[in-house]
């Protein structure tokens, strides 16, 4: 079947396109650099012609509150309208474990709004909630940095390899719409501050990680289990130490 991957040239999208094509589907990457722009609608009607499934793994270029809300509202509205016109029968979106518990954060308010638009669209859908990627640990550290100090809460997290997320999204896209949320998480539970400390040490980054129970996470204060998936999550295989060793080769 034809699967259009919005954000198909990014970290998850490019891996997803490759995996879907390997399994015999016609996966088409759609992004501004392929002539498809969900903010303006440019190229949407053309790329969706004949598509059965649309997978949205795009992300906002800005995490500023108003900008990220505008991105997901406009992009998702345009995309869902174009899908309805094209007769798409399955919309798959990638979101984040804990989104509904992180509503103090402008970014996660925008993701929650995106999920609401999808649920109200009338198009059969599946939403994949992933825990944070190994590759995003750098971004978490950057967001929590003040000078040479990284302030992070001692909360639990099960980070996951982007390859494993792409595989989970691919399985979901090839399956029947679930009409709800499926979760994917890594195989190991860490304490967030310890995890970032390990990652910085491996890269010989001199910043010091300070444990602070009130340290915000992209604007939201965390409880111990805010970032953890539920008991029915699909547990991926790749361990953090194995991924870290690959990065250092």
């Amino acid at each position: 079947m034809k699967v259009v991957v919005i954000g198909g040239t990014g970290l998850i999208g490019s891996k997803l396109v490759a995996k879907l094509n390997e399994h015999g589907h016609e996966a088409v990457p759609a992004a501004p650099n392929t002539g498809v722009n969900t903010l303006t609608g440019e190229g949407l009607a053309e790329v969706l012609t004949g598509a059965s499934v649309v997978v949205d793994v795009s992300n906002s270029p800005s995490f500023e509150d108003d900008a990220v809300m505008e991105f997901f509202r406009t992009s998702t509205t345009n995309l869902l309208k174009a899908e309805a016109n094209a007769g798409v029968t399955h919309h798959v979106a990638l979101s984040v474990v804990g989104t509904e518990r992180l509503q103090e954060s402008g970014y996660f308010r925008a993701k929650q709004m995106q999920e609401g638009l999808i649920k109200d669209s009338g198009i059969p859908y599946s939403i994949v909630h992933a825990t944070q990627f190994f590759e995003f640990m750098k971004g978490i550290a950057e967001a929590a940095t003040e000078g040479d100090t990284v302030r992070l809460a001692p909360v639990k997290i099960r980070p996951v390899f982007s390859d494993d997320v792409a595989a989970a999204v691919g399985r979901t896209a090839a399956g029947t719409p679930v009409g709800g949320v499926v979760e994917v998480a890594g195989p190991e539970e860490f304490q967030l501050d310890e995890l970032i400390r390990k990652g910085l040490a491996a890269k010989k980054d001199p910043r010091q990680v300070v444990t602070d129970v009130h340290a915000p996470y992209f604007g939201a204060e965390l409880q111990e289990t805010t970032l953890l998936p539920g008991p029915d999550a699909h547990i991926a295989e790749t361990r953090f130490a194995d991924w870290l060793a690959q990065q250092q080769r």
Side-chain angles (χ1 to χ4, degrees):
M1 61 186 175
K2 180 178 177 180
V3 182
V4 175
V5 180
I6 305 296
T9 59
L11 174 66
I12 299 294
S14 57
K15 295 179 179 186
L16 176 59
V17 167
K19 288 178 186 295
L20 288 169
N21 283 330
E22 286 169 12
H23 285 84
H25 302 294
E26 179 195 353
V28 180
N33 58 5
T34 71
V36 179
N37 190 324
T38 52
L39 290 176
T40 64
E42 177 192 0
L44 269 180
E46 293 80 5
V47 78
L48 293 182
T49 301
S52 301
V53 182
V54 169
V55 183
D56 186 4
V57 294
S58 63
N59 207 354
S60 174
S62 168
F63 279 24
E64 189 275 323
D65 285 5
D66 291 341
V68 73
M69 181 65 77
E70 181 60 26
F71 174 86
F72 282 115
R73 178 183 287 115
T74 302
S75 176
T76 305
T77 298
N78 288 342
L79 184 56
L80 291 169
K81 181 179 179 182
E83 287 176 35
N85 291 337
V88 169
T89 55
H90 190 185
H91 179 97
V92 180
L94 179 59
S95 193
V96 187
V97 163
T99 288
E100 70 283 2
R101 300 187 291 271
L102 290 161
Q103 293 300 293
E104 292 175 32
S105 161
Y107 179 83
F108 291 103
R109 285 196 298 274
K111 290 299 288 182
Q112 187 80 341
M113 179 275 307
Q114 177 193 29
E115 293 185 26
L117 290 174
I118 293 165
K119 292 171 183 176
D120 293 341
S121 70
I123 298 170
Y125 72 92
S126 304
I127 297 171
V128 179
H129 273 190
T131 52
Q132 292 295 1
F133 315 148
F134 294 157
E135 292 89 344
F136 196 54
M137 295 304 107
K138 179 181 177 183
I140 292 174
E142 293 294 336
T145 295
E146 302 167 1
D148 294 326
T149 300
V150 184
R151 293 189 177 278
L152 291 164
V155 299
K156 295 175 180 177
I157 187 170
R158 293 188 73 141
V160 65
F161 184 25
S162 61
D163 273 28
D164 293 334
V165 174
V169 174
R171 285 192 301 271
T172 303
T176 303
V178 301
V181 172
V182 294
E183 293 185 316
V184 58
E188 302 164 287
E189 187 173 284
F190 294 91
Q191 199 166 284
L192 178 61
D193 53 336
E194 280 296 327
L195 177 68
I196 300 301
R197 198 173 280 122
K198 285 177 190 283
L200 293 180
K203 294 184 178 299
K204 297 181 171 52
D205 189 312
R207 285 177 289 177
Q208 297 295 307
V209 175
V210 173
T211 303
D212 179 352
V213 294
H214 298 296
Y217 181 82
F218 298 99
E221 191 162 320
L222 300 174
Q223 302 301 312
E224 186 179 25
T225 60
T226 300
L227 303 179
L228 290 183
D232 297 327
H234 170 79
I235 303 302
E237 294 183 359
T238 310
R239 299 170 72 87
F240 183 67
D242 295 335
W243 173 80
L244 205 56
Q246 288 178 0
Q247 307 309 301
Q248 293 173 313
R249 284 176 190 161

